[in-house]
Amino acid sequence: MTQKAILFDLDGTLVDTAPDLAAATDHALVRAGRPAIGLESVRSMVGDGARALIEKGFRASGGMPEPAAFEAAFSDFMIYYGRHIAATSRPFPGVATCLAALAEQGYALAVCTNKPEALSRSLLDQLGLSGFFGAVVGGDSLLVRKPDPGHIRGTLDKLGPAFDWAAMVGDSANDVNAARAAGLPCVVVSFGYTQIAPKDLGGDRLIDHFSELPDALVALGG
């Protein structure tokens, strides 16, 4: 039997996490004496991991602080976000139905995200999505992370034996570039977090709703 795998980004692809990420970022910035930057600013900063998010928050609110102040703010962010990770975050429409259908069709499913692994697993647990995935590989799980193709290859290794075909589903240039470098097709969602227009990211297919994903995968040879 042909073995096929689908790797999913998390923030901005499977789950709308921006409101909780923004609340945690603003909490950390305000405690550091900076102004809050708000949801819309944070939405465009998501995708490179937690430390990069806080760095971008500082740069948007006056510039980088001393290293000790940055580490304190990062700690504040992690503690606050860990406690409120699913306060308002919700799967995008159709996610659970689509994942169930893909699993029923025999696809092996995994999460490949730059979000820290522990936070990723906590979020998936609290939203009832963990059972769909054979592997969850965060930005701190390996020595590399997206856009490095090693993140995708490492996720496939953790998912199971060699696959005859695999694809990435994401919302950002990191997802597309990592997939390209790993030799995988990439489906881009139109509703994620990116400063580049989704249609200009270079994905192989663009979808507006998860109900469109199964047909997109078939069109790509899946």
Side-chain angles (χ1 to χ4, degrees), residues 129-179:
L129 298 177
S130 294
F132 290 113
F133 302 108
V136 176
V137 183
D140 57 351
S141 303
L142 305 170
L143 296 177
V144 295
R145 63 182 183 177
K146 297 178 297 183
D148 192 303
H151 195 171
I152 285 182
R153 297 187 187 111
T155 302
L156 289 171
D157 288 343
K158 288 179 178 292
L159 187 56
F163 292 96
D164 302 295
W165 185 89
M168 180 76 201
V169 181
D171 70 318
S172 72
N174 281 342
D175 299 314
V176 174
N177 292 338

Side-chain angles (χ1 to χ4, degrees), residues 3-219:
Q3 300 294 311
K4 300 179 180 182
I6 313 297
L7 278 55
F8 293 88
D9 178 52
L10 183 51
D11 298 272
T13 299
L14 290 172
V15 182
D16 185 7
T17 55
D20 290 328
L21 287 168
T25 300
D26 284 345
H27 170 79
L29 290 174
V30 169
R31 283 179 59 88
R34 297 295 181 87
I37 59 175
L39 173 59
E40 290 311 310
S41 293
V42 171
R43 190 183 297 275
S44 67
M45 299 174 179
V46 178
D48 293 315
R51 294 185 70 88
L53 175 58
I54 297 303
E55 179 178 336
K56 292 174 186 177
F58 271 116
R59 294 191 185 282
S61 62
M64 287 294 288
E66 293 297 320
F70 176 85
E71 293 301 329
F74 178 67
S75 178
D76 286 339
F77 169 87
M78 293 293 284
I79 292 169
Y80 184 96
Y81 186 56
R83 291 172 177 170
H84 303 87
I85 195 167
T88 58
S89 295
R90 297 293 181 269
F92 284 105
V95 163
T97 299
C98 178
L99 294 176
L102 293 175
E104 179 67 22
Q105 293 168 31
Y107 289 100
L109 309 179
V111 170
C112 179
T113 175
N114 283 344
K115 194 184 199 77
E117 182 176 333
L119 291 177
S120 299
R121 291 184 179 278
S122 176
L123 177 63
L124 293 168
D125 285 346
Q126 293 188 48
L127 296 180
L129 298 177
S130 294
F132 290 113
F133 302 108
V136 176
V137 183
D140 57 351
S141 303
L142 305 170
L143 296 177
V144 295
R145 63 182 183 177
K146 297 178 297 183
D148 192 303
H151 195 171
I152 285 182
R153 297 187 187 111
T155 302
L156 289 171
D157 288 343
K158 288 179 178 292
L159 187 56
F163 292 96
D164 302 295
W165 185 89
M168 180 76 201
V169 181
D171 70 318
S172 72
N174 281 342
D175 299 314
V176 174
N177 292 338
R180 283 275 180 273
L184 272 61
C186 186
V187 177
V188 174
V189 300
S190 66
F191 42 78
Y193 311 147
T194 173
Q195 293 181 307
I196 302 171
K199 66 181 179 61
D200 295 330
L201 287 172
D204 297 281
R205 288 290 187 278
L206 179 67
I207 62 171
D208 298 318
H209 191 279
F210 266 86
S211 61
E212 302 170 20
L213 181 57
D215 285 345
L217 296 173
V218 170

